[in-house]
Amino acid sequence: MARILSIGTAVPPYTYNQAEIRDFSKQLFQDTFPHIDRLLSIFENTAIEQRYFSRPREWYEEDRSFKERNQIYIEMACQLGEQAIQRCLESTGIQPHEIDHFLFVSTTGLATPSIDAHLINRLKMKPHVKRTPIWGLGCAGGVAGLARAYEYVQAFPTQRVLLLTLELCGLTFRRDDRSKSNLVATSLFADGAAAVLVTGSKSNPYFGPRIVTTKSIIWPESMDVMGWELEDDGLKVIFSRDIPTLVRKQMRPIVDEFLEEINLQLGDIQYVISHPGGRKVLEAYQEALGISRDPLTHAYSVLRDYGNMSSATVFFVLERELQESHPYGSYGLVTALGPGFSSELALLCWDEEVACHV
């Protein structure tokens, strides 16, 4: 049995509202697109009000090398990762040196030694802590990391797993990329980090939602839907306009199959903790699953307040969900989409194991 004990989040210091970013984008893209004002309506349609970034606006107005971007990524990843971990652990009484396995998820920068090694030193974790860095899963990485934590404590129930998801999407912005994909990305993405503490049945003195089961799906021949291409000056975004359509067509059968495997139906799910990839994606979830906006309230509010922080965003949503009270035995569906094109699902139960009919 695996439980989520706590979540801690962190964002960088520079905050910009959507109108400011829209003005910045207009100046950049207006020579490329004659009808720029029409295209800029995407900024209003995202349902985002503000976002956080690792650098001030003027930094993005100059060309930057991949080396410069990546060095800033390492520095900021260590700062934000430490903050998120400390906030995650402070309410539990568990110290960094008591962590047994450290999972680190990211896609927006590179480091060897990986960021988890940097943080093990900064936080003075025990030298024999196990660590697993996971790279390249994009927005799906948070739920995928949660699944790996679940599997680990199922096998080792006395262990404590710390999962850190961290993305600095703003640092991947390339001002010379004047594609529509980059314009869309500029309207959505931001920076943030989230840490999650997952424990096994023999190491858990606290109450938290139980992770019931997880599932991964990758659609064949869909690698061009979402991802990055490595260019000389950084990562070039790949972002298909077909993502909401794929959600509408594909998600309901996958969710039904996932729940049927454990003798549940969609009607048994009270909460949907979805990665808010964008307003259109959330609306596509509503249509596909036949649900109202209410189960996605926290997803919409996180999108409004932070934008899309890739893999970390779903835990900003879950953090808000954990602040609510939940009826005994209620279920929550955690979901995210990512490169591949792929889907990650996890089922939570707010209850002791005996009360859930799984």
Side-chain angles (χ1 to χ4, degrees):
M1 180 173 64
R3 290 195 184 275
I4 298 172
L5 265 64
S6 62
I7 294 176
T9 57
V11 290
Y14 299 100
T15 313
Y16 292 97
N17 64 48
Q18 193 73 329
E20 291 176 282
I21 304 171
R22 181 187 185 279
D23 291 343
F24 168 83
S25 300
K26 181 176 182 177
Q27 293 177 23
L28 182 66
F29 287 94
Q30 62 187 354
D31 292 337
T32 304
F33 300 110
H35 305 293
I36 186 64
D37 288 326
R38 185 175 62 192
L39 292 175
L40 290 174
S41 64
I42 61 174
F43 284 82
E44 288 78 22
N45 293 334
T46 59
I48 296 170
E49 293 183 3
Q50 66 176 17
R51 287 179 277 162
Y52 293 82
F53 296 96
S54 299
R55 284 295 181 268
R57 172 175 173 164
E58 53 267 25
W59 186 87
Y60 300 96
E61 295 174 349
E62 302 291 337
D63 292 332
R64 305 291 174 179
S65 68
F66 180 71
K67 180 179 180 180
E68 180 182 1
R69 299 174 196 275
N70 205 62
Q71 186 57 45
I72 296 170
Y73 167 85
I74 294 171
E75 294 170 2
M76 288 301 303
C78 291
Q79 292 177 32
L80 292 180
E82 184 174 6
Q83 291 174 20
I85 290 169
Q86 289 174 337
R87 291 168 183 167
C88 176
L89 297 182
E90 65 185 2
S91 64
T92 69
I94 294 173
Q95 301 300 313
H97 69 267
E98 297 177 282
I99 298 301
D100 301 295
H101 196 138
F102 187 5
L103 291 163
F104 174 68
V105 173
S106 188
T107 303
T108 46
L110 301 172
T112 304
S114 49
I115 299 299
D116 47 289
H118 289 262
L119 289 167
I120 287 169
N121 283 276
R122 288 173 71 117
L123 293 165
K124 296 181 170 53
M125 293 184 180
K126 56 190 175 188
H128 50 277
V129 62
K130 298 178 179 67
R131 60 191 183 99
T132 304
I134 302 173
W135 193 89
L137 295 179
C139 296
V143 186
L146 186 66
R148 304 292 84 78
Y150 158 77
E151 292 161 357
Y152 186 82
V153 299
Q154 289 287 91
F156 303 99
T158 63
Q159 302 279 285
R160 299 184 178 104
V161 177
L162 179 67
L163 166 65
L164 175 64
T165 58
L166 187 146
E167 305 290 1
L168 304 181
C169 303
L171 295 179
T172 69
F173 174 76
R174 300 166 53 252
R175 66 186 302 275
D176 286 339
D177 180 0
R178 306 299 170 85
S179 66
K180 286 187 179 179
S181 290
N182 195 33
L183 179 61
V184 173
T186 305
S187 74
L188 288 173
F189 289 110
D191 302 350
V196 185
L197 182 61
V198 178
T199 62
S201 58
K202 297 182 180 179
S203 67
N204 180 11
Y206 306 95
F207 182 81
R210 179 167 63 94
I211 306 171
V212 179
T213 188
T214 67
K215 191 177 186 69
S216 300
I217 304 98
I218 184 166
W219 286 279
E221 308 302 327
S222 61
M223 291 172 54
D224 59 344
V225 173
M226 183 189 298
W228 304 107
E229 291 180 356
L230 183 58
E231 302 287 345
D232 289 341
D233 60 344
L235 298 170
K236 178 181 179 180
V237 66
I238 302 171
F239 201 70
S240 171
R241 63 185 299 175
D242 295 330
I243 294 171
T245 302
L246 289 169
V247 173
R248 290 186 185 93
K249 291 181 177 180
Q250 303 287 348
M251 285 309 299
R252 181 59 184 263
I254 287 170
V255 170
D256 285 343
E257 179 184 281
F258 174 57
L259 296 175
E260 285 170 4
E261 291 173 356
I262 49 177
N263 301 315
L264 293 177
Q265 298 178 357
L266 190 57
D268 297 313
I269 305 301
Q270 289 79 26
Y271 311 100
V272 179
I273 301 101
S274 175
H275 165 68
R279 180 182 62 81
K280 290 185 178 180
V281 174
L282 290 177
E283 291 174 348
Y285 269 112
Q286 288 178 236
E287 184 176 335
L289 302 181
I291 59 176
S292 69
R293 183 181 170 121
D294 289 347
L296 293 164
T297 295
H298 294 309
Y300 275 105
S301 67
V302 166
L303 181 65
R304 178 195 66 212
D305 296 340
Y306 296 96
N308 183 342
M309 299 167 287
S310 192
S311 66
T313 325
V314 70
F315 295 124
F316 281 70
V317 179
L318 184 55
E319 181 182 44
R320 294 189 176 188
E321 189 65 63
L322 294 184
Q323 294 169 359
E324 307 283 350
S325 60
H326 300 83
Y328 196 78
S330 57
Y331 289 98
L333 178 68
V334 187
T335 177
L337 300 167
F341 184 58
S342 61
S343 171
E344 295 287 339
L345 300 170
L347 183 67
L348 306 183
C349 180
W350 276 268
D351 204 352
E352 298 292 344
E353 185 174 21
V354 67
C356 298
H357 51 279
V358 178

